[in-house]
Amino acid sequence: GKGFFLFDFLKICPQSKIYGIDISDYAIKNSKPEVKKNLIVGNANDLPWEENFFDLVVFRGTIQHVDEPFRMIKESHRSLKKNGIIAFLSTPNSNSLLYKLKNNLSFLDKKTNFYIPGDQELKNALENFGFKILEVEYPYLKTPYANIWRDHFYFILNIFSKRFFPHPFWKSSMNIIAKKKWIKFACV
């Protein structure tokens, strides 16, 4: 994106070396000046960094926009150091009750989505690519968007209406944190 997440990350960890990638030249050109020098135009399916380069790789609201999400996960595994962390933040969850009911979530744009992961599917994919799941979180109540009364009212409307009333809801968004497993090979 425009580097807002990296800018906030640097405020918390100012000694960090940060890098960002976005497919949009526009996003990079219009990014925060404080992080612009660390951003490149590129594709998460073909990371330009060497093997074992990163301690942490973060995807914030990203996986649904990537046309080859499993290749992105594989590339992330390659670029992470031993015991490196991968984090999927603000990720849609197709296993949420609202998505199952309406095949939609308030923060999705069907024109730009390729893959809407479910929590179990994403966990399984990460494990199959050599990650150990550390945490799965559904941050609905921790977000500034949550309003229990309004959201449940809209959910009831969604049950009885053909129309979709967008709203945040339980388990619609997820965060998954995983660690790269270190596999030792024995030569025989």
Side-chain angles (χ1 to χ4, degrees):
K2 294 183 180 180
F4 294 109
F5 180 80
L6 292 177
F7 178 76
D8 290 340
F9 189 86
L10 270 181
K11 286 195 291 188
I12 297 167
C13 301
Q15 74 287 359
S16 298
K17 291 180 185 175
I18 57 154
Y19 304 88
I21 190 168
D22 196 292
I23 201 162
S24 166
D25 187 48
Y26 174 84
I28 303 297
K29 284 180 181 175
N30 293 283
S31 64
K32 295 195 74 66
E34 298 86 349
V35 297
K36 187 180 282 196
K37 69 181 186 298
N38 302 89
L39 304 176
I40 62 167
V41 176
N43 189 318
N45 291 336
D46 189 23
L47 298 174
W49 294 281
E50 63 211 41
E51 286 186 33
N52 305 308
F53 186 79
F54 293 112
D55 296 305
L56 171 67
V57 173
V58 178
F59 295 102
R60 186 173 178 277
T62 304
I63 194 168
Q64 69 270 23
H65 303 297
V66 177
D67 62 345
E68 295 181 76
F70 301 117
R71 185 170 166 198
M72 179 183 79
I73 293 170
K74 190 175 182 179
E75 267 295 281
S76 299
H77 188 275
R78 180 194 64 77
S79 68
L80 277 168
K81 293 178 183 175
K82 173 183 177 181
N83 295 319
I85 302 293
I86 189 169
F88 286 90
L89 308 177
S90 301
T91 302
N93 179 12
S94 66
N95 284 333
S96 69
L97 193 55
L98 181 58
Y99 189 85
K100 287 182 176 189
L101 177 68
K102 289 295 188 179
N103 199 34
N104 203 349
L105 296 172
S106 61
F107 56 95
L108 294 179
D109 178 2
K110 290 187 181 221
K111 291 176 274 184
T112 62
N113 296 327
F114 292 95
Y115 168 69
I116 310 301
D119 49 4
Q120 295 305 314
E121 292 85 359
L122 186 52
K123 284 171 35 182
N124 186 59
L126 288 167
E127 288 170 344
N128 286 340
F129 280 112
F131 290 98
K132 179 182 190 286
I133 305 301
L134 300 178
E135 182 178 353
V136 178
E137 177 187 40
Y138 307 96
Y140 166 65
L141 289 178
K142 296 177 185 177
T143 70
Y145 313 109
N147 179 318
I148 291 178
W149 297 109
R150 179 206 60 212
D151 297 340
H152 283 83
F153 174 74
Y154 281 133
F155 185 76
I156 292 168
L157 286 177
N158 277 318
I159 291 173
F160 296 106
S161 174
K162 290 181 181 181
R163 182 176 157 217
F164 176 58
F165 294 91
H167 61 93
F169 206 63
W170 304 97
K171 291 192 173 186
S172 292
S173 176
M174 61 183 167
N175 299 331
I176 297 182
I177 313 298
K179 180 168 87 171
K180 180 179 179 177
K181 293 180 193 174
W182 189 249
I183 303 168
K184 294 182 181 178
F185 295 97
C187 296
V188 182

